[in-house]
Amino acid sequence: MTYKLTISYDGTNYHGWQRQKNGITIQEIMETVLSSMFGAETAVTGCSRTDAGVHAKIYVCSFCGDTTIPCDKIPFVLNTMLPPDIRAYKCETADDDFNARFKTVTKAYEYKIVNASVADPLQRNFAWHYPVLLDVEKMQQAAQVICGRHDFAAFCAAGSKVKTTVRTVTELSVEKSGNVITVRAAADGFLYNMVRIIVGTLVYVGNGKLSVTDIDNLIEMKDRRKMGITAPPQGLSLVEVNYE
Amino acid sequence: MTYKLTISYDGTNYHGWQRQKNGITIQEIMETVLSSMFGAETAVTGCSRTDAGVHAKIYVCSFCGDTTIPCDKIPFVLNTMLPPDIRAYKCETADDDFNARFKTVTKAYEYKIVNASVADPLQRNFAWHYPVLLDVEKMQQAAQVICGRHDFAAFCAAGSKVKTTVRTVTELSVEKSGNVITVRAAADGFLYNMVRIIVGTLVYVGNGKLSVTDIDNLIEMKDRRKMGITAPPQGLSLVEVNYE
């Protein structure tokens, strides 16, 4: 049986989703717990390779296995075995060819910036503290330029190998509430570090290092080095994953 | 010189505000850092004895000392020495007799409950996960009964020594947004564990273990054991402290 499992996690204490030698990852935890539950080695495929420190309000993963546990009880059983910073919400059976990574149609991320002279200790693991006052209106104008179908090569971390760097960003909003700026980005797919480079670039527009009119040309130039810095991971959360 | 210092902290990793032998506390950290900065042992008085795991968006403390550092630069210097889960926001000089504990006029606390079948891993240190659906309207009605000037002996942890258990609760609101219930309580003073017992009692009304009409009688009976449980600490944050 192929399963589609929806989870949520606080990424603070993990080296990202993907299994690696140098630190504990969410994929490793999920595979260990599911293998123990199913009594057989169980490989888990995730919808996104979130980096160390990145969070997921919603995260979808897929795996194959056989169990007598009713599908809708699987989250409950998993939650008795998972650490408290990972929770399982929903488990559904899926088509045999379902793959949480390759069958996604759209995903959405949120990025939080605490724009205040002093950091908020209660949000230190969930936001980027940026002490210089940012011009939110200019950030919103730049977001309008970035939104749409483009070659996003300039927003892709160096060294990543993909067939095409063309993506369609369907939503890119910048909202401020109190001293918290929230950037929300939805697309048919994201390149490696793309949201964090978009946020770093919007912040460079907000602090005056780049102008709104620069952005169009910089996208054309396809040069990562012309864009803003890569925003730190802890402000980023995956918030939506959609399938056909 | 007497100083009034405003800080904020994430209480997750501390054994509360007040210095103790068995674990690290916020008071101990503040006294260590200020003593080092002032080059003399510095005692710090806090506005509230928050328990282990309780947070403060706003917390006021007072201390005496002499330094050549301009008053408004003290938070900046402190933040280079403090751990990231404690931040200093504002420092002002105060009257010689200023005392952060005894000069408070009103304080306000917020308590967050995640009312959903599965816990939210991103809020696990900042909210009480309560899986049974609560009747918010009934909780609001009970809050109206508790609000006002009463003898709050029934809402005071056993064994606490105070001259009077009469307090005036000026605000007690219950609001739900998504699956998060926020209880906000403002008063001229709070007894030991009072907010957490009020929240536990409101939850007992919300789940039907107590009725709104019970509350009036139970306040009269002044018996802690008749009220709801003490809500766990991590949902509680001090959010406002006012002085004359």
Side-chain angles (χ1 to χ4, degrees), chain B residues 118-189:
Chain B
V118 180
D120 179 352
L122 293 158
Q123 296 193 72
R124 73 191 185 289
N125 294 327
F126 306 103
W128 180 15
H129 171 232
Y130 199 84
V132 176
L133 189 68
L134 295 167
D135 185 328
V136 173
E137 215 169 292
K138 283 197 179 143
M139 292 170 75
Q140 287 165 335
Q141 290 164 9
Q144 287 306 310
V145 178
I146 297 168
C147 199
R149 186 168 179 80
H150 305 287
D151 185 332
F152 281 96
F155 293 98
C156 181
S160 69
K161 291 166 195 158
V162 280
K163 280 186 212 155
T164 168
T165 46
V166 173
R167 295 289 184 279
T168 304
V169 173
T170 51
E171 184 190 346
L172 186 61
S173 65
V174 182
E175 302 291 343
K176 189 170 184 181
S177 171
N179 58 22
V180 178
I181 297 172
T182 303
V183 177
R184 186 184 157 94
D188 57 356

Side-chain angles (χ1 to χ4, degrees), chain A residues 8-11 13 55-57 75 79 84-89 118-122 124-126 237, chain B residues 8-11 13 55-57 75 79 84-89 118-122 124-126 237:
Chain A
S8 173
Y9 55 81
D10 173 347
N13 298 319
H55 315 289
K57 283 188 192 167
N79 285 336
D85 50 8
I86 307 176
R87 293 287 93 184
Y89 285 92
V118 180
D120 178 351
L122 292 159
R124 73 192 186 290
N125 294 326
F126 306 103
S237 296
Chain B
S8 174
Y9 55 81
D10 173 347
N13 298 320
H55 315 289
K57 283 188 190 167
N79 286 336
D85 50 7
I86 307 175
R87 294 287 91 183
Y89 285 90
V118 180
D120 179 352
L122 293 158
R124 73 191 185 289
N125 294 327
F126 306 103
S237 295

Side-chain angles (χ1 to χ4, degrees), chain A residues 70-127:
Chain A
C71 185
D72 63 328
K73 298 285 181 262
I74 289 177
F76 178 81
V77 178
L78 285 174
N79 285 336
T80 65
M81 304 162 82
L82 286 168
D85 50 8
I86 307 176
R87 293 287 93 184
Y89 285 92
K90 196 165 75 169
C91 188
E92 301 156 274
T93 55
D95 292 340
D96 282 351
D97 69 338
F98 178 76
N99 177 301
R101 183 168 174 205
F102 294 111
K103 295 283 180 175
T104 57
V105 180
T106 56
K107 277 187 280 193
Y109 287 89
E110 268 181 21
Y111 194 98
K112 292 210 177 291
I113 301 165
V114 169
N115 194 21
S117 55
V118 180
D120 178 351
L122 292 159
Q123 296 193 74
R124 73 192 186 290
N125 294 326
F126 306 103

